């Protein structure tokens, strides 16, 4: 990946280290921090370019949606369409290793890249003094996947994060070993409560609190794990990739100095900016009622791989 090298500061888990980490987040930079499950790689969830940097730092070839970390259920309700089941589970298990997937609330201010353009959002309040202090100091939602390079094991110590991501992120708060050591349990709270990922909180405990058993995920249903369907969340319009100009009846999504479009992902050809704009612009062009959205060629390097992955899915035959 052609990301420029940066000095990664190892920060102490004290007031000064946490304030420095919050400062990095405000600047749109990335900070790894401990939670009770694993170390998270945090970015300001409302800043699209900061969120795009997560995918670049992890060298992830796909935009999968990220968990948004919040202080508590009150904060979560700014970003999700909250419901009674969420209320009950948050009252019993938050803060803790439980992530709730709920319909995204319009106007909440999260970057669409956080939810990979989907109409749902994953939220969790971590139960760790350092994670909680960082959320308080930053004062906003923190998007954070596990702080490991794509395809590697999740980190449970600061040294694991150093080994995997040093030189690619602004800072790492060293808060010692993570007590739970496996990722959070993820529950989808659409029409039917669904276990989307087993994790640090046993499913039985969740079922006991709800008084019903959790369903297994169904491919294609709302709020299931993404990326399983090649054409999920395709725009209504058809798509034509690697286009250098719009044909009759098409709108053009441009990239770089050579292909200016009706919307342009990045006029300068910056892939971080392009990733941050992708879902917003696809939605805007789709809402305009065009029959076909033609998309400029995007280089297959760095974040361009994830952008192209998502564009290919959007262009795949429908109903697959
Ligand atoms: O314990 C954890 O959950 C850790 C710490 C840092 O909080 N985070 C973590 O994040 O494991 P990550 O990115 O490695 O895994 C997030 C999972 C992915 O499998 C993703 O597909 C799912 O959450 N997810 C996120 N948003 C979703 C959504 N809107 N709908 C369905 N699944 C979602
Ligand atoms: Mg992970």
């Amino acid at each position: 990946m052609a990301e420029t090298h940066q000095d990664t500061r190892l920060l102490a888990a004290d007031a000064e280290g946490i304030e420095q980490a919050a400062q990095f987040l405000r600047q749109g930079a990335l900070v790894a921090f401990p939670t009770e499950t694993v170390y998270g790689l945090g970015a300001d969830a409302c800043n699209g370019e900061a969120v795009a940097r997560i995918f670049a730092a992890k060298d992830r070839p796909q935009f999968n949606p990220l968990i948004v970390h919040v202080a508590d259920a009150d904060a979560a309700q700014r970003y999700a369409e909250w419901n009674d089941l969420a209320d009950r589970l948050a009252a019993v298990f938050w803060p803790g290793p439980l992530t709730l997937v709920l319909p995204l609330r319009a106007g909440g201010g999260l970057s669409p890249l956080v939810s990979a353009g989907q109409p749902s959002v994953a939220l969790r309040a971590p139960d760790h003094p350092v994670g909680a202090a960082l959320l308080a100091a930053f004062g906003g939602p923190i998007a954070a996947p596990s702080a490991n390079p794509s395809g590697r094991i999740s980190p449970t110590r600061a040294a694991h994060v150093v080994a995997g991501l040093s030189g690619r992120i602004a800072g790492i708060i060293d808060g010692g070993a993570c007590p739970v050591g496996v990722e959070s349990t993820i529950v989808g709270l659409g029409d039917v409560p669904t276990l989307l990922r087993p994790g640090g909180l046993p499913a039985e405990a969740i079922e006991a609190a709800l008084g019903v058993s959790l369903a297994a995920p169904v491919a294609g249903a709302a709020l299931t794990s993404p990326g399983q369907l090649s054409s999920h969340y395709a725009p209504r319009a058809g798509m034509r990739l690697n286009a250098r100009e719009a044909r009759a009846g098409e709108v053009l999504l441009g990239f770089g100095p050579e292909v200016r479009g009706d919307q342009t992902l990045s006029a300068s050809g910056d892939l971080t900016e392009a990733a941050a704009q992708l879902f917003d612009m696809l939605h805007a062009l789709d809402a305009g009622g065009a029959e076909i959205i033609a998309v400029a060629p995007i280089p297959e390097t760095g974040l361009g791989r994830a952008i192209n992955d998502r564009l290919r899915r959007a262009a795949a035959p429908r109903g697959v």
Side-chain angles (χ1 to χ4, degrees):
M1 156 107 20
E3 276 292 297
T4 45
H5 177 87
Q6 50 183 308
D7 290 328
T8 300
R9 281 188 54 192
L10 196 58
L11 303 168
D14 57 15
E16 194 184 328
I18 285 163
E19 183 44 45
Q20 176 61 66
Q23 192 65 38
F24 282 140
L25 293 176
R26 284 181 211 116
Q27 293 164 355
L30 304 183
V31 179
F33 64 98
T35 78
E36 79 280 31
T37 58
V38 300
Y39 274 74
L41 180 57
D44 177 353
C46 298
N47 177 337
E49 293 195 24
V51 176
R53 288 186 188 107
I54 289 178
F55 295 96
K58 284 179 70 91
D59 206 5
R60 236 203 112 86
Q62 297 181 335
F63 293 130
N64 63 333
L66 305 174
I67 295 172
V68 176
H69 296 71
V70 291
D72 52 29
D74 281 346
Q77 288 172 53
R78 290 186 208 132
Y79 310 108
E81 296 290 350
W82 201 247
N83 60 34
D84 289 348
L85 295 181
D87 233 13
R88 195 172 326 160
L89 291 181
V92 178
F93 298 114
W94 277 10
L98 173 65
T99 295
L100 302 177
V101 177
L102 290 155
L104 184 65
R105 180 166 166 180
L110 296 178
S111 158
L113 196 54
V114 165
S115 44
Q118 299 187 95
S120 63
V121 61
L123 291 155
R124 138 171 149 81
D127 184 18
H128 192 288
V130 177
L134 180 62
L135 282 161
F138 177 58
I142 301 177
S146 49
N148 50 291
S150 183
R152 303 256 294 272
I153 301 166
S154 291
T156 56
R157 294 178 175 278
H160 302 162
V161 185
V162 172
L165 295 176
S166 191
R168 297 175 167 214
I169 65 180
I172 301 167
I173 308 178
D174 186 350
C178 301
V180 175
V182 296
E183 289 93 342
S184 61
T185 303
I186 305 182
V187 171
L189 293 178
D191 294 339
V192 178
T194 302
L195 182 65
L196 297 177
R197 177 178 76 180
L201 180 67
E204 291 82 354
I206 299 165
E207 292 177 330
L210 289 176
V212 296
S213 45
L214 293 169
V218 178
L223 304 183
T224 57
S225 275
Q228 296 164 344
L229 295 176
S230 55
S231 72
H232 79 280
Y233 293 105
R236 188 200 45 76
M239 305 274 297
R240 183 167 70 84
L241 306 185
N242 296 311
R244 294 188 177 275
E245 59 212 1
R247 298 177 183 156
E250 292 183 345
V251 289
L252 182 62
L253 181 59
F255 177 81
E258 272 148 39
V259 186
R260 288 298 158 84
D262 300 280
Q263 303 253 14
T264 299
L265 290 169
S266 167
S268 65
D270 176 331
L271 289 167
T272 304
E273 183 186 6
Q277 304 274 35
L278 177 66
F279 294 111
D280 255 352
M281 290 188 171
L282 281 177
H283 280 295
L285 291 173
D286 204 30
E291 245 166 78
I292 306 253
I293 302 171
V295 187
I298 311 291
E300 186 71 17
T301 57
L303 281 176
R305 289 182 302 146
I307 295 171
N308 282 323
D309 169 75
R310 187 43 52 123
L311 289 170
R312 282 191 290 268
R313 288 171 196 271
R318 304 302 150 81
V320 174

